[in-house]
Each structure stands twice: as structure tokens, then as C-alpha cells.
Amino acid sequence: MLKGKTALITGSTSGIGLGIARALAGQGCNIMLNGLGDPEKIEATRHGLQREFSITARYHDADMTRPDDITSLVETTAASFGGIDILVNNAGIQHTAPVEEFPPERWAAIIAVNLSSSFYAIHHTVPHMRRRGWGRIINIASVHGLVASANKAAYVSAKHGLVGLTKVVALETAGSGITSNAICPGWTRTELIEPQIVARAQALGVDIEAGGRSMLAEKQPSQQFVSIEQLGQLVLFLCSSGSDQITGTAIPIDGGWTAQ
Ligand SMILES: NC(=O)c1ccc[n+]([C@@H]2O[C@H](COP(=O)([O-])OP(=O)(O)OC[C@H]3O[C@@H](n4cnc5c(N)ncnc54)[C@H](O)[C@@H]3O)[C@@H](O)[C@H]2O)c1
């Protein structure tokens, strides 16, 4: 179904993005990886994807805070694979602090990576998708694109903005073969939330596992983390023909967090 298609996944050197890259590669998609990290480890990841799934995987080191880098990321992907079929805007960062103590430079960085980078990537990718008459834009938002939590001014603002951007792009591409959707995960155990788990464990004077359980108990009724594999499966569904009429949505995958 996806064999030979090209997927560009931002922030795919770890966590959810890498899991999505693996899910798409498992269906025969060629992959453009992007993200920060140790070059040797990234090269091993790229090589591993090629070997395990018999696809072509490339890597681009675009810094998603830099619009010119994003132009290069998109155009290099299109030129080297002959087009772009699937764009997953996944790169993201976090910082937690009360609004009156929130460092302005962290605000600017979070808005840049978690929101503006998706605009730039979509802006440059849509013309390539229109030429093919097919495309999937999948924005990894968050439950924080739908509801708020304290101490996350920048993250919640960026993710709400990303859900809005998803809807606008859906309206502008409706009927063209392109869909635009957001996925809104609850707690998923990755490096992004590890500092929050550590802080919770320290505040309670418990071990890391108990810290994680406490965070789940507060927000996620299933009391289970979302898995990276489950997020990969949802992306595959959004890339299937069964989802041709699903566009402009923000789909929670959150163990009931936003049902409360
Ligand atoms: N983990 C969760 O509980 C959770 C919940 C909801 C949404 N999300 C979202 O999922 C996405 C992936 O996060 P994750 O949990 O896998 O965390 P992660 O830290 O493992 O992954 C983040 C990725 O973004 C990349 N990145 C960060 N800054 C970048 C920059 N300037 N340029 C290029 N790449 C950059 C990192 O290199 C990494 O590949 C994020 O958008 C995050 O907001 C995560």
C-alpha cells in the first residue's frame, strides 16, 4: 500500500518520531530522517532502517528553529526521492515553569520548534503533494492541543496553534487527495517527559517508576502510557485509503485524558 512512497518525519532521531519512521518503513516507505543527536548514532539508525526494512533512508540535519534549514529539508527530500507523499511534523521540545517565571527564550524556542516549523514544512511540501494529487500531512500535537495543564504556557499555546493550523490546511486541501490531521497523544514514555517524571519522583520522594505512576494517576485514566508502536499504527491508519475522508481532525490517543 505504501511501498515506494516517501515519508519525511521531522524529529525522527528518537522517541515517537523514530517509532513512526519504523512503522512507515515497515510498510515499504522510503524515509527522510531529521533531528538532533550524535551523528554516529543517527547514521546507525539510518543504516539499521535500510537493512531491516529494505527501503532507502536518508538523513537531513535541519534545525527546525531555522526556516532556511526547513526549506532545504523539504526540497532535498523531494529532489532525492522524486517527491513527498507523507509529511509527519513531529519535532518538539518542552519546558515547564509558571508563566511569570517562564524564560522568554524558551517561549520563543518552543513556538519555533513545536508550531512554526510545521507551518514552514507544510508551506513547502503542499505544492509537491498537489503535483501528485495525493498526500498525508500528520501533525503530532498533544492532549495539550485540546486542553491545558499548569506550567506549560508555551507548549500548550504551540500545540493549540498546531491543531488550528491542521484545520486550516485541511480546508485548503479538501478534495485534492491531500488530508491534514493532528494526533494528540497523552503521556508517552520518551526522553521528552523524562525530566517531568524525575521531578515528580523527587517531589514525592519515590523512585522513577512510582513518579511515572503518579503522573498517570493525575491525568491519564487508563493509568497506562501510550506506546510508540500504538502511535505508529495510528499514523499507518491515517495513511490508508480508509482515511481518505478523515481530514481536519485532532485525534486523541490518551487513555481517556481528554474525556474527563
Ligand atoms: N512523550 C509524550 O508524552 C508526548 C505527548 C504528546 C505529544 N508529544 C509530542 O511528540 C513529539 C515527539 O516527542 P517525543 O516524546 O518523541 O520526544 P523526543 O525528545 O524523544 O523527540 C523529539 C525529537 O525532536 C527533535 N528535535 C528537537 N528540537 C529540534 C530542532 N531544533 N531541530 C530538529 N529536531 C529537533 C529531537 O532531536 C527528537 O528527534 C513532540 O512534538 C511532542 O510534543 C509527546
Side-chain angles (χ1 to χ4, degrees):
M1 170 194 69
L2 299 177
K3 195 164 171 49
K5 291 202 185 296
T6 297
L8 163 56
I9 304 123
T10 71
S12 46
T13 49
S14 67
I16 293 168
L18 180 54
I20 291 169
R22 289 182 56 78
L24 288 166
Q27 297 301 307
C29 264
N30 294 319
I31 302 292
M32 179 59 93
L33 294 169
N34 156 259
L36 310 176
D38 170 44
E40 274 182 27
K41 270 179 74 177
I42 293 171
E43 178 54 18
T45 301
R46 187 191 70 78
H47 197 69
L49 282 174
Q50 294 199 140
R51 213 183 27 233
E52 186 174 349
F53 299 112
S54 302
I55 51 104
T56 302
R58 297 200 166 94
Y59 166 72
H60 192 293
D61 67 357
D63 176 342
M64 300 306 285
T65 64
R66 301 167 73 105
D68 290 349
D69 281 19
I70 302 171
T71 309
S72 170
L73 170 64
V74 171
E75 299 309 336
T76 302
T77 305
S80 56
F81 290 106
I84 303 179
D85 304 291
I86 298 163
L87 169 66
V88 182
N89 287 306
N90 168 79
I93 53 175
Q94 176 62 288
H95 184 84
T96 58
V99 71
E100 68 272 32
E101 292 164 20
F102 211 94
E105 64 277 9
R106 294 318 299 160
W107 166 273
I110 291 175
I111 297 298
V113 177
N114 296 14
L115 176 58
S116 300
S117 75
S118 299
F119 161 73
Y120 290 112
I122 291 168
H123 172 75
H124 292 298
T125 300
V126 164
H128 294 290
M129 291 179 168
R130 284 201 194 277
R131 269 195 283 282
R132 293 199 162 174
W134 193 92
R136 292 291 188 260
I137 296 166
I138 299 172
N139 298 319
I140 306 303
S142 166
V143 286
H144 288 115
L146 303 171
V147 295
S149 293
N151 300 322
K152 294 186 175 173
Y155 190 85
V156 170
S157 301
K159 296 297 188 181
H160 273 68
L162 186 55
V163 168
L165 175 64
T166 304
K167 293 178 184 175
V168 172
V169 173
L171 294 179
E172 293 181 7
T173 57
S176 70
I178 302 169
T179 66
S180 167
N181 292 287
I183 291 178
C184 299
W187 294 128
T188 310
R189 192 102 191 240
T190 67
E191 286 167 32
L192 186 104
I193 69 160
E194 216 52 33
Q196 295 174 68
I197 298 179
V198 170
R200 176 65 63 98
Q202 280 170 355
L204 297 177
V206 297
D207 66 19
I208 299 289
E209 292 312 310
R213 282 198 299 276
S214 160
M215 283 170 53
L216 289 170
E218 181 191 5
K219 297 279 192 184
Q220 199 147 301
S222 66
Q223 314 255 338
Q224 293 162 356
F225 286 101
V226 180
S227 76
I228 286 169
E229 290 73 22
Q230 288 158 356
L231 289 163
Q233 291 299 313
L234 183 51
V235 167
L236 292 187
F237 171 66
L238 287 174
C239 291
S240 73
S241 57
S243 71
D244 280 353
Q245 293 303 316
I246 299 178
T247 194
T249 69
I251 304 173
I253 169 165
D254 64 2
W257 181 325
T258 52
Q260 297 170 101

